[in-house]
Structures are given as C-alpha cells and as structure tokens.
C-alpha cells in the first residue's frame, strides 16, 4: 500500500526505530512518517519540472536569446544524481496559477534561468 505511494523501506525502518519499543499505544500523525521518508529520499531524488499542457501559459523573453540546450544537475546539491537537459528559448511556459500572480514591473526568478522583469501582460 504505502510503499506504492513512495514510502521507502529505509524511511519506514527509521520511523519505526524513532518510535522505540513501548507497551502503550502511540497515536502519530501521517506527516511524521512522510517527514522521515523525505529526509531519506531528498538527497538522492532528481529534480524535474513539469506543467499540465492545459494550464501552461507562454511567456515571451525580450532578449536576443538563441534557442539552445544546456546540461544542468538533476539535484542542486548532489551532482552524482546525474544531469538533465534544460532548453533555453525566447518563448517559455509557466503554470497558469503562477501567471495569474504576475504584475507589470515585478521581478521574478526563473529557476535555472535567472531573474526577469515583467514588462507587459497580455491576457487573452
């Protein structure tokens, strides 16, 4: 059951050991076991970006940026996890929920890209 949902055996063992042995019933919240599991998988889990196609919003970059691909680390603190391809182009996509929060003149940080200033918003 919960192993299919991402719980690791190492995370489960660490959680059980942290509880210790006792004859009394201990009621724990689920967030505790997931927090222990997160500590186990965080150093080794690769980082990717994904968007729902139906909610993706295009952004035009006003720069002489040529379309190209660069290799970046899959994990910012653990290069042993490997590398991924990051594409750079004059048109990028962000999540629709993030797009609704943007305002003209605002400076935003685009992960693996850098900072950008919003100069115009075209709501279609």
């Amino acid at each position: 059951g919960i192993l299919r949902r991402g719980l690791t055996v190492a995370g489960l063992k660490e959680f059980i050991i942290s509880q210790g042995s006792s004859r009394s019933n201990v009621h724990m919240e689920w967030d505790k076991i997931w927090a222990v599991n997160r500590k186990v998988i965080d150093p080794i889990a690769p980082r990717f970006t994904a968007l729902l196609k139906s909610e993706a919003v295009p952004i035009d970059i006003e720069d002489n940026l040529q379309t190209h691909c660069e290799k970046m680390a899959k994990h910012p603190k653990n290069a042993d996890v490997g590398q991924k391809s990051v594409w750079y182009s004059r048109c990028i996509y962000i999540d629709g929920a993030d797009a609704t929060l943007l305002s003209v003149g605002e400076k935003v940080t685009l992960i693996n890209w850098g900072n950008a200033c919003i100069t115009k918003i075209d709501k279609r």
Side-chain angles (χ1 to χ4, degrees):
I2 60 176
L3 292 178
R4 283 196 326 252
R5 288 175 168 69
L7 184 68
T8 61
V9 173
L12 181 58
K13 284 181 181 178
E14 190 174 324
F15 175 76
I16 292 169
I17 291 169
S18 72
Q19 299 310 303
S21 61
S22 174
R23 289 181 177 225
S24 62
N25 287 336
V26 178
H27 297 283
M28 302 295 292
E29 296 293 327
W30 277 102
D31 59 342
K32 171 105 172 136
I33 193 169
W34 293 117
V36 170
N37 193 60
R38 189 176 304 115
K39 288 179 186 174
V40 171
I41 63 172
D42 188 58
I44 58 171
R47 307 302 201 265
F48 292 97
T49 302
L51 297 171
L52 291 174
K53 188 175 182 180
S54 62
E55 296 180 18
V57 175
I59 292 186
D60 294 323
I61 307 293
E62 293 179 1
D63 194 355
N64 288 331
L65 181 67
Q66 298 296 319
T67 300
H68 68 284
C69 178
E70 290 184 17
K71 294 289 186 184
M72 303 291 259
K74 286 183 181 177
H75 191 290
K77 296 178 182 173
N78 185 359
D80 294 337
V81 174
Q83 293 191 324
K84 62 183 175 182
S85 298
V86 177
W87 283 92
Y88 296 87
S89 140
R90 290 190 62 179
C91 180
I92 63 170
Y93 293 88
I94 65 170
D95 188 72
D98 293 332
T100 59
L101 300 174
L102 297 178
S103 59
V104 174
E106 181 179 10
K107 291 187 180 179
V108 296
T109 300
L110 303 171
I111 303 298
N112 291 331
W113 277 65
N115 296 327
C117 183
I118 307 300
T119 57
K120 183 175 93 172
I121 296 177
D122 183 12
K123 296 182 181 181
R124 295 179 196 165

